[in-house]
């Protein structure tokens, strides 16, 4: 059969020939074309024509390509080549690697789109010691000698790149994309030269990330000397490139931009899309002429950022491709693709063995430090799950703006490359806070890496206000993997306790606690920590009695040995919907001295002089447990429990051997939350409580929470009587730019309550210390 192009050539030649010998010349030319065509056809007959698949960009709308692939899979039609741009490069790369359309649809439901399309990561990916700083401040300022640099995009790609590396793991050894199960290429744009770049080789996740790097949203990706952004800036539909790969027949799926009219250009996003992609919109008019079958899923009513609409988008792609089902069936039959072996992931290998490990981009932290935390050695089998976990561990130490890995094959060997962008060694944190218990204050924090010696960290945190608090912590890691640490700790808090009963009188009191000591720590993974501490503790109570004695002070000095186990796998610090937070401490304490003073000082006990006989050793067990889980999308249930047991103490020690119960959250080192009661309202040395909270997210970041609790305490009335404290509360919350805002009402019943109303209001604004 004569091709259409051959007919066009003959027609053009016949018009040019006008003299009487034209017929003879025309016959000769036609014979030449037909002969050459038959020769070419004979050469290609064994393989037949090649089918190319062209997938456009379009942000979230590009997920509709999966629906198109589903129809192709159902008809047994498999492409010989795939080209992709932006989201089309992501779908195309995964399909080229061997993922079926059905598996891609399932993958969409497993991916946390909110996570990978932002710079936020779940808190359970942050190492335990860094959780206090993580998303707990309004401002974070680097302290550096270099100039301040503004980010070139909102998202650095930490989660996108590591997610791509995870799912493309089985083909990580392939650096020539023509050797994938289906040959593949994608497009990006070099921001420096403003030219189109064809990505046909290299590390596949990097190529896809570069092609998906929408300007203004994602930071550019540097590969060699190129600074790459989304290929859709210049060409959003790589049809000519598919032809150049060898495709004879082209199927295209287009979900990209089109020109918006005046009425549609009503938002900054729409204006930026129009400005950023007008060149590729014009280019598409030329590219689509090369396509034999063009499928355009209906996506105009869906935002390019609506990644959670993946089900709808896949169905839109499926419906659009349904119109071509018979064509796909005939193509599959004529191209013999139904007889081709089904594409599958290359050996779907579970482990790689690396011959060497190199670190790139590090300046402040040595390669040995980074490899020590990574905990992977050359020659040992490594799974993608373990490597992903260790990269999360590195990132969770808050050393890096971004850290990722590449697998680089060379001459039969494999190199694991750790590529990182470091944060400054010193960071300053700032925030504000207000609540009923501590009133208003300013939170200031400082974190410094390797301040005096290598493999160390200094943290200073303070709350400046009516109830000041201060925490100092210097850690020296003592092993290569930074699992073991030795730290010097200091904690001070000064908290107002309303109507505290002490020494036969009830007055407003200040609880001032200062503890300092040395701690041996053992980290267990990201979210677990064991601690063994030796402490000196000053527990002081100060109250004003202006009319008679002036200011009363009760000063107690203890020495303690403490063991603690801490676990925190919450996905976010505020309004968590998944994970467990648990703390358990057991301590043995001994009273060194106790003093009571007003205008004069009375020594109640001093172990040096053994006044009133030797003090008794006493023991404290304190534990808390909270589990969050989501039964339905917007509903979260939290079930929790608290326990406190302080063993019998001598008559002097027991004067200040208590904890304070009340409030919707703990506000000091000696407080335990109990909904329904004012913060620090009730004193006890033995208690047990349970609570159940139901949270409903009304709209994004806006929460309504029902809180219930039942707490049993042993009264400090000399009779050791038991009291039950039921409580209930309703809270409205919003996660604002200055931190969580909570306000509500609560009701608590306590038979011995004298100074507080049973119905109480509460409010809390901002991040907390």
């Amino acid at each position: 059969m004569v091709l259409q192009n051959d007919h066009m050539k003959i027609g053009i030649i016949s018009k040019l020939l006008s003299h009487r010998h034209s017929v003879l010349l025309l016959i000769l030319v036609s014979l030449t074309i037909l002969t050459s065509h038959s020769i070419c056809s004979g050469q290609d007959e064994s393989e037949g024509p090649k089918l190319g698949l062209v997938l456009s960009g379009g942000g979230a709308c590009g997920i509709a390509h999966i629906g198109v692939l589903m129809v192709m899979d159902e008809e047994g039609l498999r492409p010989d080549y795939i080209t992709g741009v932006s989201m089309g490069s992501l779908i195309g790369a995964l399909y080229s690697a061997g993922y079926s359309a059905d598996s891609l649809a399932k993958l969409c439901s497993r991916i946390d789109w909110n996570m990978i399309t932002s710079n936020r990561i779940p808190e359970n990916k942050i190492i335990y010691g860094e959780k206090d700083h993580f998303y707990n401040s309004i401002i974070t300022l680097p302290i550096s000698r270099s100039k301040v640099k503004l980010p070139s995009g909102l998202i650095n790609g930490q989660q996108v790149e590591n997610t791509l590396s995870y799912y493309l793991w089985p083909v990580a050894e392939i650096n020539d994309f023509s050797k994938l199960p289906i040959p593949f290429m994608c497009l990006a744009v070099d921001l420096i030269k403003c030219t189109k770049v064809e990505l046909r080789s290299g590390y596949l996740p990097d190529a896809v990330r570069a092609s998906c790097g929408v300007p203004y949203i994602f930071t550019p990706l540097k590969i060699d000397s190129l600074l790459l952004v989304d290929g859709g800036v210049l060409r959003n539909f790589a049809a000519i490139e598919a032809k150049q790969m060898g495709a004879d027949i082209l199927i295209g799926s287009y979900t990209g931009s089109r020109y918006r009219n005046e009425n549609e250009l009503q938002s900054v996003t729409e204006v930026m899309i129009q400005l950023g992609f007008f060149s590729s919109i014009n280019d598409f008019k030329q590219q689509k002429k090369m396509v034999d079958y063009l499928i355009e899923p209906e996506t105009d009513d869906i935002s390019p950022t609506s990644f959670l609409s993946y089900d709808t988008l896949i169905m839109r792609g499926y419906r659009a491709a349904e119109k071509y089902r018979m064509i796909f069936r005939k193509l599959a039959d004529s191209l013999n693709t139904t007889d081709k072996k089904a594409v599958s992931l290359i050996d779907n290998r579970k482990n790689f063995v690396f011959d060497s490990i190199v670190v790139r981009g590090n300046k402040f932290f040595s390669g040995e430090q980074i490899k020590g935390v990574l905990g992977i050695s050359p020659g040992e089998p490594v799974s993608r799950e373990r490597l992903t976990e260790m990269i999360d561990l590195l990132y969770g130490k808050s050393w890096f703006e971004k850290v990722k890995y590449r697998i680089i094959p060379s001459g039969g060997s494999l190199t694991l490359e750790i590529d990182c962008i470091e944060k400054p060694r010193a960071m300053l944190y700032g925030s504000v806070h207000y609540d009923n218990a501590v009133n208003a204050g300013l939170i200031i924090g400082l974190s410094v890496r390797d301040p005096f010696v290598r493999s160390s960290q200094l943290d200073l945190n303070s709350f400046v206000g009516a109830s000041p608090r201060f925490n100092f912590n210097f850690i020296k890691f003592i092993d290569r993997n930074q699992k073991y640490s030795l730290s010097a700790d200091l904690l001070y808090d000064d908290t107002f306790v309303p109507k505290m009963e002490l020494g036969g009188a009830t007055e407003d009191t200040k609880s001032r606690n200062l503890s300092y000591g040395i701690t041996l720590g053992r980290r267990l993974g990201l979210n677990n920590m064991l601690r063994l501490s030796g402490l000196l503790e000053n527990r002081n109570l100060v109250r004003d009695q202006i009319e008679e004695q002036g200011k009363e002070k009760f000063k107690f000095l203890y020495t303690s040995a403490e063991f603690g186990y801490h676990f925190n796998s919450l996905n976010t610090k505020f309004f968590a919907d998944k994970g467990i937070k648990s703390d358990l401490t057991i301590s043995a304490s001994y009273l060194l001295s106790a003093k009571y003073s007003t205008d004069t000082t009375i020594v109640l006990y001093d172990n040096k002089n053994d006044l009133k006989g030797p003090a008794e050793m006493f023991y404290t067990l304190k534990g808390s447990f909270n589990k969050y889980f989501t039964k339905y999308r917007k509903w979260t249930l939290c079930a929790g429990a608290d326990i406190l047991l302080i063993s019998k103490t001598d008559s002097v020690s027991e004067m200040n051997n208590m904890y304070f119960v009340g409030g919707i959250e703990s506000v000091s080192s000696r407080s335990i939350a109990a909904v329904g009661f004012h913060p620090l309202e009730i004193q006890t040395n033995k208690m047990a409580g349970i609570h159940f909270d139901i949270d409903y997210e009304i709209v994004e970041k806006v929460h309504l929470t029902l809180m219930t609790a039942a707490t049993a305490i042993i009264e400090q009335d000399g009779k050791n009587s038991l009291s039950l404290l039921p409580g209930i509360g309703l809270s409205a919350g919003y996660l604002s730019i200055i931190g969580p805002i909570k306000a509500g009402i609560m009701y608590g019943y306590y038979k011995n309550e004298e100074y507080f109303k049973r119905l109480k209001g509460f409010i809390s604004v901002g991040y907390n210390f």
Side-chain angles (χ1 to χ4, degrees):
M1 182 181 292
V2 180
L3 294 178
Q4 184 179 2
N5 286 341
D6 296 337
H7 284 302
M8 292 176 61
K9 292 175 184 176
I10 294 172
I12 294 170
I13 294 171
S14 65
K15 289 180 181 180
L16 294 174
L17 299 173
S18 59
H19 50 79
R20 79 172 67 180
H21 300 295
S22 62
V23 176
L24 179 59
L25 185 58
L26 179 59
I27 292 171
L28 291 173
V29 172
S30 298
L31 287 171
T32 302
I33 293 172
L34 291 171
T35 303
S36 63
H37 173 70
S38 63
I39 293 172
C40 293
S41 297
Q43 291 172 341
D44 296 338
E45 190 173 359
S46 62
E47 297 183 3
K50 299 295 183 182
L51 177 64
L53 178 63
V54 184
L55 303 177
S56 75
C61 297
I63 296 175
H65 297 320
I66 297 174
V68 176
L69 290 169
M70 281 180 169
V71 179
M72 293 178 66
D73 278 359
E74 289 170 1
E75 297 305 325
L77 182 62
R78 287 178 289 278
D80 297 289
Y81 307 102
I82 297 178
T83 64
V85 181
S86 198
M87 179 57 78
S89 73
L90 191 154
I91 303 297
L94 291 168
Y95 194 75
S96 294
Y99 287 91
S100 68
D102 285 339
S103 63
L104 289 177
K106 292 176 183 176
L107 190 149
C108 284
S109 66
R110 290 199 299 265
I111 288 177
D112 187 339
W113 292 101
N114 287 329
M115 179 187 73
I116 70 170
T117 56
S118 72
N119 273 337
R120 298 185 69 91
I121 67 171
E123 190 164 332
N124 56 21
K125 301 286 187 179
I126 296 297
I127 200 166
Y128 188 89
E130 297 292 335
K131 292 181 187 288
D132 287 342
H133 284 148
F134 189 66
Y135 298 137
N136 199 30
S137 61
I138 299 174
I139 57 172
T140 302
L141 299 176
I143 301 175
S144 174
R145 296 179 181 178
S146 61
K147 62 182 180 181
V148 176
K149 295 169 64 177
L150 294 176
S152 52
L154 299 176
I155 303 168
N156 63 25
Q158 169 72 24
Q159 296 305 309
V160 173
E161 291 170 41
N162 284 310
T163 299
L164 286 169
S165 290
Y166 182 87
Y167 286 108
L168 291 171
W169 172 272
V171 295
E173 283 185 289
I174 299 176
N175 56 9
D176 180 351
F177 304 160
S178 68
K179 294 181 180 178
L180 290 167
I182 300 176
F184 170 78
M185 68 84 60
C186 58
L187 295 181
V189 169
D190 182 10
L191 193 59
I192 297 173
K193 296 183 179 179
C194 295
T195 56
K196 176 173 64 72
V197 177
E198 298 179 4
L199 298 170
R200 301 176 183 271
S201 62
Y203 185 55
L204 183 57
D206 276 355
V208 174
R209 160 65 175 89
S211 185
C212 291
V214 180
Y216 317 118
I217 297 178
F218 284 96
T219 56
L221 183 69
K222 187 174 179 60
I223 298 179
D224 299 327
S225 62
L226 306 175
L227 196 61
L228 301 177
V229 296
D230 196 314
V233 171
L234 296 180
R235 174 164 295 162
N236 205 24
F237 191 73
I240 191 171
E241 287 77 13
K243 285 283 190 182
Q244 292 168 352
M245 291 177 76
D248 302 295
I249 302 170
L250 290 184
I251 296 174
S253 179
Y254 184 77
T255 59
S257 300
R258 58 174 181 80
Y259 284 122
R260 268 74 171 168
N261 59 40
E262 183 178 350
N263 292 329
E264 293 173 308
L265 294 173
Q266 298 299 316
S267 69
V268 174
T269 302
E270 295 297 337
V271 171
M272 291 176 67
I273 291 174
Q274 186 95 318
L275 288 173
F277 294 94
F278 72 90
S279 294
S280 67
I281 297 173
N282 286 332
D283 181 73
F284 174 63
K285 295 178 182 178
Q286 301 301 318
Q287 294 295 312
K288 70 179 181 179
K289 295 176 182 178
M290 304 178 194
V291 177
D292 298 277
Y293 306 103
L294 180 62
I295 303 167
E296 297 185 79
E298 179 57 51
T299 61
D300 286 347
D301 61 329
I302 299 177
S303 168
T305 61
S306 297
F307 291 94
L308 294 180
S309 301
Y310 53 83
D311 283 335
T312 300
L313 287 162
I314 292 172
M315 184 54 64
R316 296 280 182 90
Y318 190 89
R319 288 174 180 171
E322 277 268 73
K323 303 171 186 177
Y324 294 84
R325 183 179 289 276
M326 292 307 298
I327 293 173
F328 290 171
R329 187 173 300 172
K330 290 177 181 178
L331 279 173
D333 182 61
S334 62
L335 298 177
N336 295 319
T337 62
T338 54
D339 297 328
K340 293 180 180 178
K341 185 179 179 180
V343 173
S344 60
L345 291 164
I346 292 180
D347 77 23
N348 199 14
R349 67 190 303 162
K350 301 296 183 183
N351 299 294
F352 281 114
V353 176
F354 301 108
D355 300 280
S356 61
I357 300 174
V358 298
V359 179
R360 310 281 188 202
N362 56 312
K363 179 180 176 182
F364 302 130
F365 305 103
S366 71
E368 287 305 308
Q369 275 183 288
I370 294 170
K371 286 189 280 188
V373 175
L374 189 68
I376 294 173
S377 302
E380 66 172 301
V382 181
S383 68
R384 63 177 171 179
E385 288 78 14
R386 184 185 174 201
L387 185 51
T388 300
E389 179 185 352
M390 301 316 292
I391 291 294
D392 285 342
L393 179 62
L394 269 174
Y395 187 72
K397 288 189 69 65
S398 293
W399 290 356
F400 307 109
E401 296 286 351
K402 183 167 75 172
V403 57
K404 66 177 187 178
Y405 69 87
R406 294 187 184 95
I407 297 173
I408 302 174
S410 178
S413 64
L414 284 180
T415 297
L416 175 63
E417 181 178 284
I418 306 301
D419 187 13
C420 52
I421 301 174
E422 293 177 318
K423 287 182 178 179
R425 289 174 57 186
M427 302 292 292
L428 185 67
Y429 304 91
S431 188
V432 293
H433 181 79
Y434 170 82
D435 66 37
N436 303 70
V438 300
N439 294 316
L442 180 65
I443 298 174
I444 301 173
L446 174 68
S447 182
V448 185
R449 319 289 174 182
D450 295 352
F452 310 116
V453 293
R454 192 172 289 279
S455 296
S456 65
Q457 181 175 327
L458 173 67
D459 288 312
L460 300 172
N461 297 289
S462 62
F463 179 82
V464 182
S467 298
R469 282 169 283 173
F470 179 80
N471 177 267
F472 167 90
N473 179 246
F474 176 75
I475 300 174
K476 175 67 175 75
F477 298 100
I478 54 180
D479 69 317
R480 182 173 181 269
N481 302 114
Q482 297 198 2
K483 292 182 178 180
Y484 292 91
S485 62
L486 192 63
S487 64
D489 311 288
L490 185 148
L491 174 65
Y492 171 79
D493 63 64
D494 186 348
T495 309
F496 175 74
V497 182
K499 305 302 178 184
M500 179 180 177
E501 184 178 346
L502 183 65
T506 301
E507 300 288 344
D508 292 342
T509 305
K510 282 275 192 174
S511 173
R512 292 176 181 168
N513 304 287
L514 172 65
S515 67
Y516 39 96
I518 296 176
T519 298
L520 177 65
R522 169 67 162 91
R523 175 178 56 78
L524 305 171
L526 279 169
N527 300 309
N528 298 258
M529 177 66 75
L530 293 175
R531 289 183 171 132
L532 183 61
S533 305
L535 302 169
L536 280 176
E537 298 180 86
N538 286 279
R539 300 182 185 179
N540 303 329
L541 298 172
V542 181
R543 64 187 187 188
D544 289 326
Q545 289 185 320
I546 299 174
E547 295 179 359
E548 299 179 6
Q549 297 174 299
K551 184 171 291 189
E552 281 188 304
K553 297 180 181 179
F554 295 82
K555 299 181 179 181
F556 297 79
L557 177 63
Y558 300 90
T559 180
S560 301
E562 182 177 280
F563 169 80
Y565 172 73
H566 311 279
F567 180 83
N568 185 346
S569 64
L570 301 185
N571 61 337
T572 181
K573 187 178 276 82
F574 307 105
F575 304 112
D577 57 21
K578 185 169 60 176
I580 294 173
K581 189 174 189 300
S582 177
D583 295 281
L584 176 67
T585 58
I586 302 172
S587 64
S589 304
Y590 182 79
L591 180 65
L592 296 178
S593 66
K595 297 177 182 179
Y596 166 75
S597 64
T598 52
D599 297 329
T600 60
T601 299
I602 300 174
V603 177
L604 302 177
Y605 174 76
D606 186 339
N607 70 331
K608 293 180 180 179
N609 300 316
D610 197 21
L611 297 177
K612 297 185 178 180
E616 297 179 8
M617 180 81 72
F618 64 92
Y619 305 91
T620 302
L621 168 68
K622 182 177 180 293
S624 66
F625 177 87
N626 292 279
K627 179 177 175 58
Y628 296 80
F629 51 94
T630 301
K631 185 70 175 176
Y632 302 103
R633 271 191 180 177
K634 293 180 176 288
W635 294 88
T636 299
L637 176 66
C638 173
D642 294 279
I643 187 170
L644 171 70
L645 295 172
I646 300 178
S647 68
K648 185 177 180 180
T649 63
D650 57 80
S651 58
V652 176
S653 299
E654 69 179 3
M655 295 176 65
N656 197 14
N657 252 355
M658 82 285 287
Y659 276 71
F660 303 96
V661 177
I664 61 171
E665 58 187 20
S666 175
V667 296
S668 78
S669 60
R670 294 175 64 189
S671 73
I672 300 171
V675 67
F677 303 93
H678 192 282
L680 310 168
E681 176 182 342
I682 302 163
Q683 297 90 51
T684 184
N685 57 20
K686 291 181 178 65
M687 63 82 62
I690 58 173
H691 63 86
F692 296 94
D693 303 337
I694 301 175
D695 180 272
Y696 177 68
E697 189 173 18
I698 304 171
V699 296
E700 187 178 6
K701 298 182 180 182
V702 178
H703 296 256
L704 189 65
T705 307
L706 175 66
M707 302 169 288
T708 62
T711 304
I713 68 167
I714 299 297
E715 297 278 4
Q716 291 186 294
D717 55 4
K719 301 176 183 179
N720 290 328
S721 58
L722 177 68
S723 293
L724 183 64
L725 287 64
I728 189 170
L730 185 65
S731 169
Y734 172 63
L735 189 55
S736 72
I737 193 172
I738 63 169
I741 299 174
K742 296 180 182 180
I745 57 173
M746 57 184 176
Y747 178 90
Y749 175 77
Y750 176 36
K751 65 181 180 181
N752 295 326
E753 193 164 43
E754 298 181 40
Y755 304 101
F756 301 95
K757 295 180 180 179
R758 289 177 178 173
L759 184 64
K760 310 169 182 70
F762 62 87
I763 185 171
S764 175
V765 179
Y767 295 109
N768 210 339
F769 179 81

